[in-house]
mmCIF file of all heavy atoms in Angstrom:
data_model
loop_
_atom_site.group_PDB
_atom_site.id
_atom_site.type_symbol
_atom_site.label_atom_id
_atom_site.label_comp_id
_atom_site.label_asym_id
_atom_site.label_seq_id
_atom_site.Cartn_x
_atom_site.Cartn_y
_atom_site.Cartn_z
ATOM 1 N N ASP A 1 77.244 26.544 98.283
ATOM 2 C CA ASP A 1 76.224 25.514 98.229
ATOM 3 C C ASP A 1 75.427 25.482 99.551
ATOM 4 O O ASP A 1 75.940 25.763 100.612
ATOM 5 C CB ASP A 1 76.894 24.162 97.988
ATOM 6 C CG ASP A 1 75.952 23.026 97.706
ATOM 7 O OD1 ASP A 1 74.984 23.259 96.973
ATOM 8 O OD2 ASP A 1 76.170 21.920 98.210
ATOM 9 N N ASN A 2 74.142 25.051 99.419
ATOM 10 C CA ASN A 2 73.241 25.037 100.522
ATOM 11 C C ASN A 2 72.695 23.611 100.777
ATOM 12 O O ASN A 2 71.932 23.123 99.960
ATOM 13 C CB ASN A 2 72.095 26.028 100.346
ATOM 14 C CG ASN A 2 71.158 26.139 101.520
ATOM 15 O OD1 ASN A 2 71.235 25.409 102.488
ATOM 16 N ND2 ASN A 2 70.264 27.098 101.440
ATOM 17 N N SER A 3 73.109 22.993 101.908
ATOM 18 C CA SER A 3 72.634 21.666 102.273
ATOM 19 C C SER A 3 71.532 21.735 103.345
ATOM 20 O O SER A 3 71.159 20.693 103.871
ATOM 21 C CB SER A 3 73.803 20.785 102.795
ATOM 22 O OG SER A 3 74.747 20.645 101.758
ATOM 23 N N GLY A 4 71.075 22.924 103.682
ATOM 24 C CA GLY A 4 69.970 23.054 104.624
ATOM 25 C C GLY A 4 70.330 23.846 105.856
ATOM 26 O O GLY A 4 71.189 24.716 105.860
ATOM 27 N N SER A 5 69.699 23.440 106.984
ATOM 28 C CA SER A 5 69.882 24.187 108.235
ATOM 29 C C SER A 5 69.711 23.211 109.392
ATOM 30 O O SER A 5 68.807 22.377 109.437
ATOM 31 C CB SER A 5 68.759 25.281 108.311
ATOM 32 O OG SER A 5 68.805 25.983 109.529
ATOM 33 N N VAL A 6 70.649 23.337 110.340
ATOM 34 C CA VAL A 6 70.620 22.531 111.571
ATOM 35 C C VAL A 6 70.756 23.471 112.753
ATOM 36 O O VAL A 6 71.831 24.097 112.916
ATOM 37 C CB VAL A 6 71.712 21.478 111.557
ATOM 38 C CG1 VAL A 6 71.665 20.636 112.831
ATOM 39 C CG2 VAL A 6 71.663 20.593 110.331
ATOM 40 N N ARG A 7 69.711 23.582 113.535
ATOM 41 C CA ARG A 7 69.712 24.534 114.670
ATOM 42 C C ARG A 7 69.158 23.811 115.934
ATOM 43 O O ARG A 7 68.197 23.069 115.829
ATOM 44 C CB ARG A 7 68.846 25.738 114.396
ATOM 45 C CG ARG A 7 69.306 26.744 113.335
ATOM 46 C CD ARG A 7 68.412 27.945 113.386
ATOM 47 N NE ARG A 7 68.863 29.020 112.510
ATOM 48 C CZ ARG A 7 68.328 29.240 111.300
ATOM 49 N NH1 ARG A 7 67.334 28.478 110.847
ATOM 50 N NH2 ARG A 7 68.763 30.253 110.533
ATOM 51 N N ASN A 8 69.742 24.144 117.056
ATOM 52 C CA ASN A 8 69.258 23.621 118.338
ATOM 53 C C ASN A 8 68.999 22.098 118.297
ATOM 54 O O ASN A 8 67.865 21.629 118.423
ATOM 55 C CB ASN A 8 67.906 24.348 118.724
ATOM 56 C CG ASN A 8 68.122 25.864 118.856
ATOM 57 O OD1 ASN A 8 68.985 26.295 119.658
ATOM 58 N ND2 ASN A 8 67.369 26.658 118.137
ATOM 59 N N VAL A 9 70.086 21.402 118.096
ATOM 60 C CA VAL A 9 70.082 19.976 117.933
ATOM 61 C C VAL A 9 71.072 19.315 118.867
ATOM 62 O O VAL A 9 72.178 19.776 119.044
ATOM 63 C CB VAL A 9 70.414 19.580 116.467
ATOM 64 C CG1 VAL A 9 70.718 18.116 116.318
ATOM 65 C CG2 VAL A 9 69.235 19.987 115.517
ATOM 66 N N GLN A 10 70.630 18.217 119.501
ATOM 67 C CA GLN A 10 71.530 17.375 120.329
ATOM 68 C C GLN A 10 71.790 16.071 119.582
ATOM 69 O O GLN A 10 70.863 15.449 119.072
ATOM 70 C CB GLN A 10 70.881 17.033 121.676
ATOM 71 C CG GLN A 10 70.604 18.238 122.564
ATOM 72 C CD GLN A 10 69.846 17.860 123.815
ATOM 73 O OE1 GLN A 10 69.860 16.692 124.232
ATOM 74 N NE2 GLN A 10 69.190 18.814 124.466
ATOM 75 N N LEU A 11 73.042 15.639 119.597
ATOM 76 C CA LEU A 11 73.449 14.362 119.025
ATOM 77 C C LEU A 11 74.100 13.546 120.174
ATOM 78 O O LEU A 11 75.228 13.843 120.565
ATOM 79 C CB LEU A 11 74.428 14.578 117.899
ATOM 80 C CG LEU A 11 73.881 15.396 116.709
ATOM 81 C CD1 LEU A 11 74.972 16.124 115.965
ATOM 82 C CD2 LEU A 11 73.133 14.476 115.747
ATOM 83 N N ARG A 12 73.347 12.595 120.701
ATOM 84 C CA ARG A 12 73.781 11.884 121.906
ATOM 85 C C ARG A 12 74.296 10.412 121.532
ATOM 86 O O ARG A 12 73.687 9.760 120.677
ATOM 87 C CB ARG A 12 72.600 11.712 122.885
ATOM 88 C CG ARG A 12 71.963 12.989 123.294
ATOM 89 C CD ARG A 12 70.847 12.674 124.277
ATOM 90 N NE ARG A 12 70.102 13.823 124.799
ATOM 91 C CZ ARG A 12 69.088 13.772 125.652
ATOM 92 N NH1 ARG A 12 68.678 12.571 126.054
ATOM 93 N NH2 ARG A 12 68.448 14.818 126.017
ATOM 94 N N TYR A 13 75.272 9.984 122.287
ATOM 95 C CA TYR A 13 75.704 8.560 122.287
ATOM 96 C C TYR A 13 76.006 7.995 120.885
ATOM 97 O O TYR A 13 75.691 6.890 120.590
ATOM 98 C CB TYR A 13 74.629 7.704 122.983
ATOM 99 C CG TYR A 13 74.307 8.136 124.369
ATOM 100 C CD1 TYR A 13 73.088 8.729 124.630
ATOM 101 C CD2 TYR A 13 75.233 8.028 125.419
ATOM 102 C CE1 TYR A 13 72.767 9.128 125.974
ATOM 103 C CE2 TYR A 13 74.937 8.457 126.699
ATOM 104 C CZ TYR A 13 73.688 9.011 126.978
ATOM 105 O OH TYR A 13 73.388 9.411 128.225
ATOM 106 N N SER A 14 76.612 8.817 120.046
ATOM 107 C CA SER A 14 76.876 8.453 118.657
ATOM 108 C C SER A 14 78.318 7.878 118.557
ATOM 109 O O SER A 14 79.033 7.664 119.523
ATOM 110 C CB SER A 14 76.710 9.631 117.774
ATOM 111 O OG SER A 14 77.686 10.606 118.126
ATOM 112 N N GLY A 15 78.699 7.661 117.280
ATOM 113 C CA GLY A 15 80.051 7.192 116.962
ATOM 114 C C GLY A 15 80.119 5.684 116.863
ATOM 115 O O GLY A 15 79.863 4.944 117.791
ATOM 116 N N THR A 16 80.484 5.225 115.648
ATOM 117 C CA THR A 16 80.525 3.801 115.408
ATOM 118 C C THR A 16 81.780 3.447 114.557
ATOM 119 O O THR A 16 82.017 4.152 113.577
ATOM 120 C CB THR A 16 79.261 3.342 114.682
ATOM 121 O OG1 THR A 16 78.143 3.610 115.479
ATOM 122 C CG2 THR A 16 79.335 1.847 114.413
ATOM 123 N N VAL A 17 82.467 2.412 114.901
ATOM 124 C CA VAL A 17 83.539 1.868 114.086
ATOM 125 C C VAL A 17 82.943 0.791 113.169
ATOM 126 O O VAL A 17 82.405 -0.175 113.627
ATOM 127 C CB VAL A 17 84.689 1.279 114.933
ATOM 128 C CG1 VAL A 17 85.744 0.724 114.062
ATOM 129 C CG2 VAL A 17 85.236 2.316 115.918
ATOM 130 N N LEU A 18 83.079 1.021 111.861
ATOM 131 C CA LEU A 18 82.506 0.065 110.889
ATOM 132 C C LEU A 18 83.568 -0.921 110.481
ATOM 133 O O LEU A 18 84.742 -0.823 110.819
ATOM 134 C CB LEU A 18 81.935 0.798 109.722
ATOM 135 C CG LEU A 18 80.803 1.828 110.044
ATOM 136 C CD1 LEU A 18 80.277 2.482 108.802
ATOM 137 C CD2 LEU A 18 79.660 1.083 110.767
ATOM 138 N N SER A 19 83.183 -1.889 109.660
ATOM 139 C CA SER A 19 84.010 -3.002 109.347
ATOM 140 C C SER A 19 85.242 -2.597 108.540
ATOM 141 O O SER A 19 86.282 -3.273 108.559
ATOM 142 C CB SER A 19 83.227 -4.074 108.553
ATOM 143 O OG SER A 19 82.694 -3.497 107.362
ATOM 144 N N ASN A 20 85.186 -1.486 107.811
ATOM 145 C CA ASN A 20 86.335 -1.075 107.012
ATOM 146 C C ASN A 20 87.370 -0.234 107.819
ATOM 147 O O ASN A 20 88.287 0.286 107.322
ATOM 148 C CB ASN A 20 85.861 -0.262 105.798
ATOM 149 C CG ASN A 20 85.083 0.989 106.195
ATOM 150 O OD1 ASN A 20 84.879 1.238 107.377
ATOM 151 N ND2 ASN A 20 84.634 1.667 105.183
ATOM 152 N N GLY A 21 87.109 -0.175 109.133
ATOM 153 C CA GLY A 21 88.049 0.545 109.992
ATOM 154 C C GLY A 21 87.743 2.052 110.133
ATOM 155 O O GLY A 21 88.386 2.704 110.981
ATOM 156 N N ASP A 22 86.883 2.582 109.302
ATOM 157 C CA ASP A 22 86.532 4.013 109.423
ATOM 158 C C ASP A 22 85.559 4.176 110.541
ATOM 159 O O ASP A 22 84.911 3.217 111.057
ATOM 160 C CB ASP A 22 85.870 4.504 108.097
ATOM 161 C CG ASP A 22 86.856 4.631 106.984
ATOM 162 O OD1 ASP A 22 88.073 4.795 107.300
ATOM 163 O OD2 ASP A 22 86.485 4.529 105.811
ATOM 164 N N GLU A 23 85.410 5.449 110.962
ATOM 165 C CA GLU A 23 84.564 5.705 112.137
ATOM 166 C C GLU A 23 83.580 6.855 111.857
ATOM 167 O O GLU A 23 83.913 7.790 111.078
ATOM 168 C CB GLU A 23 85.444 6.071 113.342
ATOM 169 C CG GLU A 23 86.364 4.955 113.782
ATOM 170 C CD GLU A 23 87.393 5.413 114.830
ATOM 171 O OE1 GLU A 23 87.855 6.537 114.729
ATOM 172 O OE2 GLU A 23 87.726 4.571 115.695
ATOM 173 N N LEU A 24 82.430 6.771 112.429
ATOM 174 C CA LEU A 24 81.465 7.854 112.362
ATOM 175 C C LEU A 24 81.494 8.657 113.645
ATOM 176 O O LEU A 24 81.665 8.098 114.732
ATOM 177 C CB LEU A 24 80.073 7.296 112.151
ATOM 178 C CG LEU A 24 79.688 6.793 110.748
ATOM 179 C CD1 LEU A 24 78.348 6.134 110.778
ATOM 180 C CD2 LEU A 24 79.652 7.991 109.775
ATOM 181 N N GLN A 25 81.310 9.954 113.528
ATOM 182 C CA GLN A 25 81.193 10.793 114.681
ATOM 183 C C GLN A 25 79.840 11.432 114.771
ATOM 184 O O GLN A 25 78.979 11.193 113.852
ATOM 185 C CB GLN A 25 82.278 11.908 114.722
ATOM 186 C CG GLN A 25 82.522 12.584 113.372
ATOM 187 C CD GLN A 25 83.502 11.776 112.533
ATOM 188 O OE1 GLN A 25 84.490 11.246 113.003
ATOM 189 N NE2 GLN A 25 83.249 11.724 111.243
ATOM 190 N N ALA A 26 79.538 12.194 115.788
ATOM 191 C CA ALA A 26 78.208 12.760 115.952
ATOM 192 C C ALA A 26 77.752 13.526 114.720
ATOM 193 O O ALA A 26 76.707 13.285 114.165
ATOM 194 C CB ALA A 26 78.152 13.669 117.174
ATOM 195 N N LEU A 27 78.567 14.517 114.287
ATOM 196 C CA LEU A 27 78.262 15.294 113.134
ATOM 197 C C LEU A 27 79.440 15.255 112.162
ATOM 198 O O LEU A 27 80.578 15.629 112.543
ATOM 199 C CB LEU A 27 77.925 16.750 113.486
ATOM 200 C CG LEU A 27 77.749 17.697 112.303
ATOM 201 C CD1 LEU A 27 76.514 17.322 111.463
ATOM 202 C CD2 LEU A 27 77.653 19.158 112.765
ATOM 203 N N THR A 28 79.175 14.820 110.924
ATOM 204 C CA THR A 28 80.187 14.843 109.865
ATOM 205 C C THR A 28 79.704 15.680 108.736
ATOM 206 O O THR A 28 78.566 15.525 108.232
ATOM 207 C CB THR A 28 80.462 13.410 109.328
ATOM 208 O OG1 THR A 28 80.853 12.535 110.362
ATOM 209 C CG2 THR A 28 81.514 13.407 108.251
ATOM 210 N N THR A 29 80.482 16.655 108.331
ATOM 211 C CA THR A 29 80.118 17.444 107.148
ATOM 212 C C THR A 29 81.176 17.176 106.055
ATOM 213 O O THR A 29 82.408 17.085 106.338
ATOM 214 C CB THR A 29 80.080 18.931 107.413
ATOM 215 O OG1 THR A 29 81.387 19.448 107.713
ATOM 216 C CG2 THR A 29 79.103 19.263 108.561
ATOM 217 N N GLY A 30 80.739 17.006 104.846
ATOM 218 C CA GLY A 30 81.631 16.845 103.684
ATOM 219 C C GLY A 30 81.303 17.816 102.599
ATOM 220 O O GLY A 30 80.254 17.744 101.950
ATOM 221 N N GLY A 31 82.174 18.784 102.398
ATOM 222 C CA GLY A 31 82.005 19.762 101.361
ATOM 223 C C GLY A 31 80.747 20.590 101.419
ATOM 224 O O GLY A 31 80.231 21.012 100.391
ATOM 225 N N VAL A 32 80.247 20.857 102.619
ATOM 226 C CA VAL A 32 79.047 21.745 102.698
ATOM 227 C C VAL A 32 79.466 23.166 102.349
ATOM 228 O O VAL A 32 80.612 23.556 102.593
ATOM 229 C CB VAL A 32 78.382 21.688 104.075
ATOM 230 C CG1 VAL A 32 77.880 20.314 104.411
ATOM 231 C CG2 VAL A 32 79.290 22.205 105.186
ATOM 232 N N GLY A 33 78.542 23.939 101.839
ATOM 233 C CA GLY A 33 78.830 25.336 101.446
ATOM 234 C C GLY A 33 78.353 26.323 102.444
ATOM 235 O O GLY A 33 77.674 25.995 103.431
ATOM 236 N N SER A 34 78.701 27.576 102.190
ATOM 237 C CA SER A 34 78.361 28.645 103.154
ATOM 238 C C SER A 34 76.898 28.911 103.259
ATOM 239 O O SER A 34 76.428 29.568 104.182
ATOM 240 C CB SER A 34 79.091 29.933 102.741
ATOM 241 O OG SER A 34 78.683 30.351 101.435
ATOM 242 N N GLY A 35 76.102 28.423 102.242
ATOM 243 C CA GLY A 35 74.644 28.555 102.357
ATOM 244 C C GLY A 35 74.005 27.681 103.400
ATOM 245 O O GLY A 35 72.817 27.838 103.708
ATOM 246 N N THR A 36 74.762 26.732 103.946
ATOM 247 C CA THR A 36 74.247 25.822 104.964
ATOM 248 C C THR A 36 74.352 26.513 106.323
ATOM 249 O O THR A 36 75.358 27.140 106.654
ATOM 250 C CB THR A 36 75.069 24.524 104.995
ATOM 251 O OG1 THR A 36 75.159 24.022 103.655
ATOM 252 C CG2 THR A 36 74.430 23.502 105.907
ATOM 253 N N THR A 37 73.324 26.400 107.114
ATOM 254 C CA THR A 37 73.280 27.074 108.419
ATOM 255 C C THR A 37 73.473 26.056 109.559
ATOM 256 O O THR A 37 72.838 25.013 109.582
ATOM 257 C CB THR A 37 71.896 27.736 108.640
ATOM 258 O OG1 THR A 37 71.697 28.703 107.610
ATOM 259 C CG2 THR A 37 71.789 28.406 109.997
ATOM 260 N N PHE A 38 74.398 26.402 110.468
ATOM 261 C CA PHE A 38 74.636 25.605 111.683
ATOM 262 C C PHE A 38 74.576 26.541 112.872
ATOM 263 O O PHE A 38 75.286 27.552 112.928
ATOM 264 C CB PHE A 38 75.989 24.926 111.642
ATOM 265 C CG PHE A 38 76.128 23.891 110.532
ATOM 266 C CD1 PHE A 38 76.907 24.180 109.421
ATOM 267 C CD2 PHE A 38 75.546 22.652 110.653
ATOM 268 C CE1 PHE A 38 77.034 23.233 108.413
ATOM 269 C CE2 PHE A 38 75.708 21.690 109.646
ATOM 270 C CZ PHE A 38 76.448 21.996 108.527
ATOM 271 N N GLU A 39 73.765 26.125 113.889
ATOM 272 C CA GLU A 39 73.661 27.004 115.070
ATOM 273 C C GLU A 39 73.209 26.159 116.251
ATOM 274 O O GLU A 39 72.235 25.384 116.131
ATOM 275 C CB GLU A 39 72.680 28.150 114.826
ATOM 276 C CG GLU A 39 72.502 29.101 115.987
ATOM 277 C CD GLU A 39 71.468 30.157 115.704
ATOM 278 O OE1 GLU A 39 71.158 30.385 114.514
ATOM 279 O OE2 GLU A 39 71.027 30.836 116.629
ATOM 280 N N ASN A 40 73.916 26.271 117.348
ATOM 281 C CA ASN A 40 73.545 25.555 118.611
ATOM 282 C C ASN A 40 73.401 24.062 118.404
ATOM 283 O O ASN A 40 72.350 23.498 118.341
ATOM 284 C CB ASN A 40 72.220 26.134 119.161
ATOM 285 C CG ASN A 40 72.356 27.543 119.647
ATOM 286 O OD1 ASN A 40 73.468 28.100 119.697
ATOM 287 N ND2 ASN A 40 71.266 28.165 119.969
#
């Protein structure tokens, strides 16, 4: 599966604890396929 392309990207000052106790991080991937490109 192909979810797109992310290259040369900065993710600064992220991460949040939400009310249900779960947390977000800078980059979260869920079930992305090999057609998706990640670089730098």
Side-chain angles (χ1 to χ4, degrees):
D1 190 40
N2 184 351
S3 298
S5 178
V6 181
R7 291 188 175 101
N8 299 306
V9 166
Q10 297 174 21
L11 298 152
R12 304 180 182 180
Y13 304 111
S14 62
T16 300
V17 179
L18 299 180
S19 58
N20 59 1
D22 288 336
E23 297 171 325
L24 283 172
Q25 41 277 320
L27 173 65
T28 303
T29 67
V32 299
S34 61
T36 310
T37 300
F38 295 105
E39 182 180 343
N40 293 352

